[in-house]
Amino acid sequence: MTRLFGLLRSLVIYYGQPLKTRRARRFYAAFVGPGDLAFDIGAHAGNRVGHWLSLGARVVAVEPQPDFVGILRWFYGRRDDVVIEPVGVAATPGEGRLLVSRATPTVSTFSTDFVAEVTPRDRWAGVRWDDHVDVPLTTLDALIARHGVPRFVKIDVEGLESEVLAGLSTAVEGLSFEAMAETREGALACVDRLEALGRYAYRASRAETMRWHHDDWLDAEGIRSYLQALRPTDGSGDVYARRA
C-alpha cells in the first residue's frame, strides 16, 4: 500500500497541474527545440520528457527505479523519439545500491551521505528510506557515446549531482542540477566541474516554480554566492547553466 501511495503521489505531483505544465513548456523552450537531443537524468515519472517532446526534442530518459521505468515505458515506450535507460548515472560505471523511499519516491537516492545529512532536518521529518534495489551505473560520457551530444541535460539525483558531472568530459550547451542547502557542497562542486569544462552563465529556479529567481544570468562567482546563502527553509530548486 505504501508503494502504491508513493507512485500515485508522484503521478499527481507531476501530471496533475495543467497550468504548471504550460508554464514549464514555455520555460524549457529557451533550452530545447525541434530536433534537439535532451538527457533527463533522474527522469522519475517523465513529466520533463513530456515537456521536451512537446517542443520537438528527442529524449534519453534515465531512471533507476524499476516502478518508474515501468511508468516511462507505459507513457513513452512506443515512441521513436524516446530512449529509456533503466540505469543510474555516476562518475564511473559499475553497480550502485539505490535507497528507495516507498512513500516519497522522488527522494530515492544512491547517496548515503545525502540520507545522513537530511534525516535530522525538520522538513524531512517522516521521510524514510525503507527499501533498496541494486542497479547498473553508467556515465554521462557513456550515454553521449551511445546517443550523441545533448543540447540540454537535466540532473536530479538527490545529492549525487556532482558525481554525475564527474563522469562528463565534454562541455554541453545547457544543463540543470538540483541544489538546496543540504547539498550545498555538491552543488558548488557542480559549478567547479562545469567551469573546468568551459565557461558558463547561471540562473536558479526554486521549488519547481519554473520561474527565474534572478533577473539576469550570473557568472560562476555569482552563482557560488547564491548557493552559499541558501538556507534549509528555502527548500529545493535547480541551477541552470548555459554556455557563456
Side-chain angles (χ1 to χ4, degrees), residues 116-199:
E117 174 63 35
V118 303
T119 297
R121 308 279 183 170
D122 289 344
R123 76 184 186 96
W124 295 83
V127 177
R128 299 290 181 268
W129 289 265
D130 49 1
D131 202 355
H132 70 268
V133 60
D134 294 327
V135 297
L137 299 174
T138 189
T139 67
L140 281 177
D141 280 345
L143 290 171
I144 288 171
R146 283 201 295 277
H147 303 292
V149 178
R151 183 171 180 83
F152 185 79
V153 180
K154 168 230 149 188
I155 306 170
D156 185 349
V157 291
E158 305 307 316
L160 213 67
E161 286 78 10
S162 62
E163 286 292 305
V164 172
L165 280 177
L168 176 67
S169 59
T170 302
V172 296
E173 187 67 25
L175 57 83
S176 68
F177 57 87
E178 189 179 36
M180 52 185 144
E182 293 91 338
T183 60
R184 186 192 331 275
E185 293 307 314
L188 290 166
C190 287
V191 177
D192 292 343
R193 180 59 185 161
L194 289 175
E195 291 298 303
L197 295 174
R199 193 163 65 87

Side-chain angles (χ1 to χ4, degrees), residues 12-141:
V12 169
I13 289 172
Y14 294 113
Y15 287 98
Q17 304 179 63
L19 291 177
K20 191 173 181 179
T21 295
R22 289 195 288 271
R23 186 166 68 243
R25 292 177 180 180
R26 291 194 299 269
F27 183 89
Y28 279 114
F31 297 97
V32 297
D36 289 338
L37 177 64
F39 286 0
D40 191 349
I41 310 301
H44 201 58
N47 63 311
R48 282 175 171 79
V49 176
H51 300 334
W52 301 341
L53 291 174
S54 74
L55 296 168
R58 298 171 294 120
V59 182
V60 175
V62 183
E63 174 55 46
Q65 293 189 69
D67 286 340
F68 288 95
V69 171
I71 289 172
L72 290 169
R73 286 174 173 159
W74 178 263
F75 285 156
Y76 305 112
R78 298 175 183 85
R79 297 189 59 132
D80 294 334
D81 48 4
V82 178
V83 176
I84 298 166
E85 291 270 9
V87 299
V89 182
T92 56
E95 186 174 84
R97 173 155 294 185
L98 183 70
L99 306 176
V100 177
S101 175
R102 289 183 295 172
T104 51
T106 53
V107 297
S108 297
T109 178
F110 288 102
S111 175
T112 55
D113 289 342
F114 173 79
V115 172
E117 174 63 35
V118 303
T119 297
R121 308 279 183 170
D122 289 344
R123 76 184 186 96
W124 295 83
V127 177
R128 299 290 181 268
W129 289 265
D130 49 1
D131 202 355
H132 70 268
V133 60
D134 294 327
V135 297
L137 299 174
T138 189
T139 67
L140 281 177
D141 280 345

